[in-house]
């Protein structure tokens, strides 16, 4: 932190007890009151459900200003990274704090590439799942099981073991994700190809090849789809202390191995209020059914008593606009034009909803602009990727953010095991009654 920036004094009304709390300043954002001595000095805790007003850690990785619509990785605006960088370079940035030189990027890319294979015995895990198992259930289970195969990098206090674990996770999660998808289709697993990983969008290109290729017919990944998938990965790579990232950090605070921590993050991401948002967008579009039904749907959205929910618009963090949405919209337009699917029914509904949201005073006054989930859902639908895989792809993107946050946590001497407090509202002390007396 930049250090102290003054203080605040809290006094308990009706007493002569007070305490002074230092204000801490970060590089960006509001000052933070350091309440670590609050209980010791005043005997009280703070109450903050969901931790919306509480900083749980110090981090140098990602900064969000929701009011101004700002998202930065290591100080670099997301718009610049999405336009000029690619996912492998962003991975290096998030992990190491600086953009790589050409030599550093080549070494890092090779490190990821040569860890993309998984142990052959891991294939046996898939046979234990039902054919109709959700890919997120498979991903969560298999990623957690990696700890049973890689005993050589479970010492979290060894920097080299942490580095290798990071490579393994970033490299193997897309392979496992693609295997989960292939298993659900009854198709053979497709191995990663090192040659595809070199060059721009190599990480995304390799992932799409594993998803789409079959032994009987090689799949040539179109450049426009590789670029679109790469942008999806970049835009979802990290997002400050959200629910899944906080879960990874909380698990990591116990000293748990990195594979267990990332599996915990995947489990948290699975929730429909978090990683399932773009899947909810497609479900909403399907329920609308036809462009002619949109006016009635919009009226339902405006009626608070109707129970109609508008998915993919607005954002809990961004009170102005989601800076990722404009970038994703560009990719969306490129993909739809390249694939010639502008007139697919669900996509027509989506485009009409977008038009209304950008022109209707009801949406504009409430800042209900289409967010990144709205456009990413449309892109993935156009790419013929099933909705069950949407959150899985989110997990592939977010793995590098989770690993970076986990690594930062382990290397921070100020961090300790997570232990939130509570307000107890249960029964007061009472005596046990024998069964015969109840």
């Amino acid at each position: 932190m930049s250090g102290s920036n003054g203080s605040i004094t809290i006094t308990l009304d009706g007493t002569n007890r007070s305490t002074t709390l230092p204000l801490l300043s970060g590089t960006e954002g509001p000052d933070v009151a350091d309440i670590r001595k609050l209980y010791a000095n005043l005997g009280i805790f703070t109450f903050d459900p969901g931790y919306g007003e509480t900083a749980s850690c110090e981090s140098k990785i990602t900064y969000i200003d929701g009011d101004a619509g700002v998202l930065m990785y290591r100080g670099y605006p997301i718009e610049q990274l999405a336009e000029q960088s690619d996912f492998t370079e962003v991975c290096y940035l998030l992990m190491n704090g600086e953009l790589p030189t050409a030599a550093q990027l080549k070494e890092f890319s090779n490190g990821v590439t040569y860890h993309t294979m998984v142990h052959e015995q891991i294939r046996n895990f898939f046979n234990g799942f039902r054919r109709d198992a959700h890919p997120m259930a498979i991903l969560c289970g298999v990623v957690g099981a990696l700890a049973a195969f890689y005993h050589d990098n479970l010492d979290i206090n060894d920097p080299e073991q942490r580095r290798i674990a990071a490579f393994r996770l970033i490299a193997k999660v897309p392979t496992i994700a693609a295997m989960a998808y292939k298993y659900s289709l009854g198709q053979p697993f497709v191995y990663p190809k090192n040659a595809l990983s070199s060059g721009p969008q190599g990480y995304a290109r390799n992932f799409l090849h594993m998803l789409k290729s079959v032994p009987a017919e090689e799949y040539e990944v179109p450049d426009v789809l590789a670029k679109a998938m790469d942008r999806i990965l970049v835009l979802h790579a990290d997002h400050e202390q959200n629910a899944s990232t906080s879960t990874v950090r909380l698990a990591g605070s116990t000293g748990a191995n990195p594979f267990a921590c990332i599996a915990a993050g995947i489990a948290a991401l699975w929730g429909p209020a978090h990683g399932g948002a773009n899947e909810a967008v497609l479900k909403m579009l399907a329920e609308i059914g036809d462009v002619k039904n949109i006016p009635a749907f919009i009226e339902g959205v405006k009626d608070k008593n109707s129970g109609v929910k508008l998915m993919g618009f607005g954002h809990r963090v961004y009170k102005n606009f989601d800076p990722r949405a404009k970038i994703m919209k560009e990719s969306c337009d490129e993909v739809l034009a390249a694939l010639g699917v502008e007139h697919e029914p669900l996509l027509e509904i989506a485009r009409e909803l977008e038009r209304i949201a950008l022109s209707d005073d009801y949406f504009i006054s409430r800042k209900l602009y289409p967010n990144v989930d709205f456009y990413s859902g449309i892109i993935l639908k156009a790419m013929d990727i099933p909705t069950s895989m949407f959150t899985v792809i989110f997990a592939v993107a977010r793995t590098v953010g989770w690993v970076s946050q986990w690594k930062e946590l382990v290397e921070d001497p100020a961090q300790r095991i997570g232990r939130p407090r509570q307000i107890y509202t249960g029964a007061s002390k009472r005596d046990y009654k024998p069964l015969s007396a109840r």
Side-chain angles (χ1 to χ4, degrees):
M1 294 183 186
S2 300
S4 178
N5 188 35
S7 62
I8 61 172
T9 299
I10 297 178
T11 301
L12 286 180
D13 292 344
T15 75
N16 60 356
R17 298 170 61 194
S18 65
T19 188
T20 299
L21 305 176
L23 288 176
L24 304 178
S25 298
T27 309
E28 304 278 356
D31 291 341
V32 178
D34 185 347
I35 64 171
R36 283 176 287 184
K37 299 294 184 180
L38 185 62
Y39 179 71
N41 293 343
L42 291 182
I44 61 172
F45 299 127
T46 57
F47 181 60
D48 184 19
Y51 314 115
E53 308 296 329
T54 302
S56 62
C57 64
E58 176 185 344
S59 181
K60 296 179 174 66
I61 299 173
T62 300
Y63 173 71
I64 297 172
D65 184 338
D67 293 331
V70 170
L71 170 61
M72 297 189 296
Y73 295 162
R74 300 287 191 178
Y76 292 98
I78 192 63
E79 295 88 345
Q80 294 181 21
L81 293 173
E83 185 64 35
Q84 302 177 52
S85 188
D86 76 351
F87 186 65
T88 302
E89 188 174 55
V90 167
C91 286
Y92 184 97
L93 172 66
L94 290 172
M95 288 289 299
N96 298 286
E98 299 292 342
L99 288 170
T101 63
Q104 289 171 332
L105 181 59
K106 182 178 180 180
E107 181 183 6
F108 182 83
S109 179
N110 287 341
V112 172
T113 297
Y114 291 104
H115 278 294
T116 52
M117 294 283 289
V118 296
H119 196 289
E120 272 296 286
Q121 288 187 344
I122 288 177
R123 294 169 59 100
N124 297 330
F125 278 90
F126 289 84
N127 294 329
F129 294 102
R130 286 173 52 120
R131 281 292 178 188
D132 58 353
H134 196 289
M136 279 295 283
I138 297 175
L139 185 68
C140 186
V142 176
V143 169
L146 291 177
F149 287 85
Y150 302 109
H151 303 286
D152 58 331
N153 61 284
L154 296 185
D155 182 0
I156 65 172
N157 297 311
D158 183 341
E160 179 61 14
Q161 292 193 37
R162 291 199 299 269
R163 187 185 71 84
I164 295 174
F167 272 123
R168 282 176 169 160
L169 280 159
I170 294 168
K172 296 181 191 303
V173 167
T175 304
I176 295 169
M179 292 171 76
Y181 175 55
K182 289 297 191 182
Y183 183 78
S184 70
L185 296 178
Q187 294 181 359
F189 297 146
V190 176
Y191 290 96
K193 297 183 70 171
N194 293 349
L196 288 176
S197 296
S198 61
Q201 296 97 41
Y203 188 99
R205 196 178 297 274
N206 206 357
F207 178 48
L208 281 171
H209 178 265
M210 288 189 287
L211 286 178
K212 295 288 190 177
S213 188
V214 293
E217 185 176 348
E218 190 76 5
Y219 176 72
E220 296 293 332
V221 182
D223 289 343
V224 67
L225 299 191
K227 179 182 177 182
M229 179 60 74
D230 190 84
R231 277 188 168 180
I232 288 174
L233 298 178
V234 168
L235 296 178
H236 289 86
D238 197 58
H239 209 236
E240 231 184 52
Q241 303 309 312
N242 52 79
S244 58
T245 299
S246 297
T247 298
V248 170
R249 278 185 170 263
L250 193 60
S253 75
T254 71
N257 72 75
F259 304 109
C261 294
I262 301 312
I266 293 169
L269 187 71
W270 195 358
H274 190 8
N278 51 11
E279 188 172 344
V281 169
L282 268 293
K283 182 179 179 181
M284 174 191 72
L285 297 177
E287 290 175 348
I288 294 173
D290 194 288
V291 172
K292 66 183 181 182
N293 298 328
I294 290 180
F297 175 79
I298 295 297
E299 289 304 311
V301 170
K302 296 178 179 180
D303 181 359
K304 294 181 179 180
N305 299 318
S306 69
V308 175
K309 292 185 177 181
L310 181 67
M311 309 303 298
F313 291 77
H315 195 281
R316 177 180 175 181
V317 172
Y318 299 110
K319 307 306 179 186
N320 190 339
F321 63 92
D322 184 342
R324 302 167 298 173
K326 181 180 179 181
I327 305 164
M328 196 65 81
K329 173 176 166 49
E330 293 175 1
S331 286
C332 185
D333 293 338
E334 291 171 2
V335 168
L336 296 185
L339 297 180
V341 293
E342 297 100 321
H343 302 299
E344 202 274 346
L346 286 188
L347 300 180
E348 286 188 337
I349 296 170
R351 301 303 289 272
E352 178 62 12
L353 272 181
E354 174 196 40
R355 185 194 66 78
I356 292 172
L358 296 176
S359 60
D360 191 306
D361 288 340
Y362 177 88
F363 293 91
I364 295 172
S365 64
R366 290 165 174 78
K367 299 178 180 178
L368 292 175
Y369 304 115
N371 60 33
V372 67
D373 298 308
F374 182 80
Y375 292 116
S376 64
I378 297 172
I379 292 173
L380 295 174
K381 169 67 177 175
M383 293 167 68
D384 199 30
I385 293 175
T387 55
S388 62
M389 281 295 294
F390 287 7
T391 314
V392 174
I393 291 172
F394 195 157
V396 170
R398 187 55 57 84
T399 295
V400 66
W402 290 332
V403 169
S404 301
Q405 298 273 352
W406 169 82
K407 182 172 177 286
E408 185 178 65
L409 166 96
V410 173
E411 296 172 356
D412 185 354
Q415 285 297 304
R416 55 181 185 168
I417 186 170
R419 181 59 171 88
R421 297 288 187 169
Q422 66 173 26
I423 297 178
Y424 175 69
T425 56
S428 298
K429 181 181 178 181
R430 48 185 173 174
D431 294 325
Y432 177 82
K433 292 181 179 181
L435 184 60
S436 61
R438 294 180 217 158

